Amino acid sequence: MRHTVTLSSETDWPGFRSEARRLLAHLVPPEDVAWHTPAGAAEDLFVPIADSEQKRPAAPVPPAQGAMNFVVPPAFLTLCEKVVLHQDPARFALLYRLLWRLVHERALRHDPLDADRTRARHMMQAVRRDLHKMKAFVRFRPLEREGEPPLHVAWFEPDHHIVEAVAPFFVRRFTAMHWAILTPECSVQWTPAQADPTAAPQKASDASLPPGELRFGPGASRADAPPADAGEALWLTYYAHIFNPARLKTDMMRKEMPVKYWHNLPEAALIAPLTAQATERSGRMVEAAPTSPARRIVQPVQQARALDPHPGAALPDDPKAALAALKRATERCRECPIGAHATQSVMGEGPIHAALMVVGEQPGEQEDLVGRPFVGPAGQLFNRAVAELGWSREHFFVTNAVKHFKFELRGKRRIHKTPGQREAAACLHWLESEIAQVRPRAFIALGATAARALVGRPVAVTAERGQWLEGPQGRRVLITLHPSALLRGDPAERDEAWRAWLEDLAQASDIASLEAAR
Ligand code: URA
C-alpha cells in the first residue's frame, strides 16, 4: 500500500517529524511512502496527481502493530533540521529512509560511510554553506519612502530553502533597520518596533527575537530591488582603499566569495582591476621607504556627514534630528571592525542640552540587543547609584565612548571585550559629534576608555578618580570607575568600593540636578 504525505511548506520540519513518527510507529517502510511539498516537486513520479494534492494526514495508516519506542541520536535531529532546507526534492524520502534504517538496522550508527548517511551529510554541508554565504553576501540598498523610514532592500539567490532559517540572523544584526530581502522563492521583511516608547510594542512571532514584525511573502525578481545608491560609491571607495595587493590570494578569494555571488556584490566589479594591478602595486610597496603612520585628525561633523545615508546632506540644525542622523550614520560605520559584528549601534540618550553628560565605555550585550545605553547589569548598578544620590536619569545625557558592542564568541555566548585604543580612536568623532549637539557643561567619565576619550590623554583611573580633570577646550571631566569594575571587585570590599564610588559621583551632584537648559 502506498502512502502519500503532502507537507505544508518546502521546509515543514514539524510536519515531517510528526508524519515520520506516525509512519514509523505503524511500521510503514520507506518504499511505501511518497513525500510531497506544495511546490509539487514530487520525487515519486508514479504517484497519481489526485493523491499528491492531499494535505497531510494523507492515505490512512494501518492500525499500529504494537507500540514502538525509538530513540535517535541528537545529531540525527540536527542533520534533519538542515537537510529539510535542501532543494533536493528527494530530501524527505532520504530522511525517512535514514530514520527507518536507524531504528531497524543498529549497525548503521557505526557506518559513517553508508551511502544514505554520506548523501545526507553532504546535503547538510551544502545548506550550511548556503546559510553562511547568505549571511556574508547580502547587500542592502536604501529605498526612500514618503513619511516612513527608508526600507533597506537586498536581492539574493540562495541555492536552498534557507530564507526562513536565516531571517532571525538578519533581525538580530539589523534590529533597528527596516529591511527586506527578496529572493526568487520568497521574500522577508522586518519592521522594528516603534521607537516611540508610548506606542504598544509589536510582537515578533518568534519570542526569542527583539520586538518588531517579521513577515514572509512571495518571491520576487531582481528588478524589484533598488539600484545602486550613493552610499554604495562610498563603500566601493572604502573597499578599494582596504584592498591590500601584498596579501592577494585569488584562490582563497574565489573560495570565500564564489563567482556566482559576484553579480549581487557591488565590490565585485573592483576585483578584476585591483587584482590586475596587485603585482605592480606590491612591488612599489616593497621598494618604497618606510613611513610613519599619519596622525588621525578628527573632523567630527564632516565624517558624520560622509557616512550619513544621504551623502552631501548637512546634519540637520535641530539637535534632536541631528542626533537621529548620527544614529543612522553609526549603523553603517565600518571604520573599525566592531560595527560589522554588533547588532546595532547604541547612541546616547537624555535631554538635549543636558548640563551633564555621563560617558561609559561601550554598549554591552543587553545594550546591543535593545539599542539603548546602560540597560544591562552595569546600567542597573549605575541606576542604583543615581537613585541613592537622589539624581534622575532624565536630567542628564548618558552615552558611550564606543558606539558598537565588541565581543568574543565563546560557544554561543558573546563575551564583552574591551575596545582597543585604535577602535576607541576611530569612534571618537561620533562621541564628539554627540557632544557638539548636547553641549553639556561637564562630564563624568566612567572608566579608562571614557576618560581617555574625553580628556585626550591616557588617564590612570584608580589614581585620578574623584578628580575633575581638564580636557580640550577647557572641558571639565570628573573621573571615576566604570560600574563593571565594582561588579568584578572583591565581594569582601564591595561595601567600601560602593561608598567610594558614590563619593566620586557625588561631586557632580550640583550639575546632575540642573534641569536641561538653553
Ligand atoms: N557598559 C558601558 O560602558 N556602557 C553601556 O552602555 C553598558 C555597559
Side-chain angles (χ1 to χ4, degrees):
M1 180 183 186
R2 300 302 309 256
H3 300 274
T4 303
V5 180
T6 303
L7 297 167
S8 68
S9 74
E10 288 299 321
T11 54
D12 184 8
W13 160 236
F16 170 74
R17 199 163 60 170
S18 74
E19 285 302 303
R21 262 202 204 122
R22 202 167 64 94
L23 292 162
L24 194 64
H26 290 82
L27 298 174
V28 179
E31 53 277 15
D32 277 3
V33 189
W35 296 89
H36 299 269
T37 57
E43 83 283 6
D44 182 347
L45 299 175
F46 302 106
V47 171
I49 300 288
D51 250 12
S52 69
E53 278 166 0
Q54 291 176 47
K55 293 272 177 266
R56 66 185 161 86
V61 172
Q65 302 175 1
M68 233 196 120
N69 276 332
F70 51 88
V71 177
V72 292
F76 179 69
L77 294 182
T78 311
L79 176 102
C80 289
E81 278 170 1
K82 290 288 179 294
V83 172
V84 294
L85 308 182
H86 200 278
Q87 47 78 28
D88 187 337
R91 62 195 178 283
F92 293 108
L94 171 68
L95 290 178
Y96 183 59
R97 190 163 63 244
L98 265 174
L99 176 63
W100 174 271
R101 294 184 58 209
L102 272 173
V103 172
H104 294 276
E105 293 173 34
R106 304 298 292 181
L108 181 63
R109 295 174 193 232
H110 310 292
D111 182 6
L113 298 180
D114 171 84
D116 281 344
R117 282 188 64 180
T118 306
R119 185 164 158 219
R121 198 170 51 245
H122 287 163
M123 287 164 83
M124 174 173 75
Q125 285 161 348
V127 168
R128 282 200 173 135
R129 262 196 310 278
D130 207 28
L131 287 164
H132 170 72
K133 297 295 179 211
M134 183 157 174
K135 289 176 187 173
F137 297 142
V138 157
R139 297 282 183 273
F140 290 105
R141 288 166 170 174
L143 194 67
E144 294 304 327
R145 298 182 298 178
E146 187 91 23
E148 281 187 85
L151 179 67
H152 293 79
V153 185
W155 168 251
F156 195 77
E157 290 160 76
D159 287 337
H160 303 286
H161 307 291
I162 59 169
V163 175
E164 246 179 273
V166 83
F169 165 85
F170 287 99
V171 170
R172 293 195 185 92
R173 172 67 72 81
F174 301 105
T175 307
M177 198 166 97
H178 294 241
W179 56 257
I181 302 176
L182 313 181
T183 79
E185 185 177 279
C186 74
S187 57
V188 52
Q189 180 163 351
W190 169 250
T191 309
Q194 315 233 359
D196 175 2
T198 58
Q202 293 164 291
K203 290 243 171 356
S205 47
D206 178 347
S208 69
L209 294 180
E213 192 188 14
L214 188 62
R215 270 191 295 142
F216 294 90
S221 77
R222 169 195 281 278
D224 297 323
D229 68 321
E232 200 158 291
L234 189 74
W235 159 240
L236 292 180
T237 311
Y238 172 73
Y239 185 85
H241 275 87
I242 60 161
F243 181 89
N244 184 345
R247 293 219 173 138
L248 180 63
K249 291 200 178 79
T250 39
D251 286 349
M252 192 56 132
M253 242 169 122
R254 277 218 181 82
K255 191 160 162 252
E256 282 301 309
M257 197 198 275
V259 174
K260 67 177 233 192
Y261 296 107
W262 287 21
H263 60 266
N264 286 332
L265 299 175
E267 64 269 31
L270 294 177
I271 294 174
L274 288 172
T275 308
Q277 299 157 9
T279 316
E280 191 209 323
R281 279 181 61 196
S282 51
R284 269 191 270 132
M285 278 164 72
V286 171
E287 280 163 18
T291 54
S292 41
R295 247 189 95 70
R296 185 185 175 85
I297 299 168
V298 175
Q299 294 173 313
V301 176
Q302 284 88 333
Q303 290 190 24
R305 281 177 192 160
L307 279 166
D308 191 86
H310 314 286
L315 277 181
D317 290 336
D318 171 38
K320 248 191 178 163
L323 288 175
L326 286 169
K327 159 80 179 164
R328 285 198 301 278
T330 51
E331 291 294 1
R332 298 161 65 98
C333 181
R334 297 293 180 267
E335 291 186 73
C336 79
I338 307 180
H341 303 288
T343 307
Q344 58 188 311
S345 65
V346 178
M347 296 299 279
E349 63 177 22
I352 295 292
H353 304 323
L356 178 68
M357 182 182 273
V358 177
V359 183
E361 176 193 275
Q362 65 164 354
E365 153 100 339
Q366 299 293 320
E367 289 77 13
D368 170 78
L369 295 174
V370 174
R372 296 179 50 213
F374 282 105
V375 293
Q380 281 159 23
L381 198 64
F382 178 63
N383 287 346
R384 225 179 89 198
V386 166
E388 283 207 30
L389 290 162
W391 300 358
S392 159
R393 255 180 89 156
E394 266 128 48
H395 281 159
F396 50 87
F397 196 91
V398 181
T399 191
N400 284 300
V402 171
K403 306 304 184 194
H404 283 109
F405 175 37
K406 180 176 180 184
F407 61 89
E408 186 177 70
L409 269 184
R410 288 211 203 124
K412 287 192 174 165
R413 289 174 59 218
R414 303 190 302 167
I415 307 293
H416 164 277
K417 262 198 111 182
T418 305
Q421 184 38 41
R422 270 174 175 224
E423 287 144 352
C427 224
L428 184 58
H429 68 91
W430 297 120
L431 175 63
E432 291 290 354
S433 296
E434 265 184 322
I435 294 173
Q437 296 303 323
V438 179
R439 293 185 280 128
R441 290 194 201 175
F443 298 80
I444 296 179
L446 299 175
T449 305
R452 182 168 188 166
L454 290 169
V455 179
R457 63 163 173 84
V459 175
V461 173
T462 33
E464 300 186 67
R465 64 181 290 186
Q467 295 180 41
W468 285 97
L469 300 186
E470 194 177 285
Q473 292 125 32
R475 183 179 283 172
R476 296 181 62 223
V477 186
L478 176 64
I479 307 296
T480 190
L481 301 183
H482 191 278
S484 58
L486 277 86
L487 290 171
R488 284 194 308 266
D490 182 347
E493 288 167 21
R494 205 161 268 170
D495 287 352
E496 174 55 24
W498 176 251
R499 196 192 48 71
W501 194 46
L502 289 186
E503 249 173 46
D504 288 351
L505 292 170
Q507 299 202 44
S509 280
D510 286 350
I511 300 173
S513 57
L514 288 178
E515 292 278 353
R518 290 171 277 154

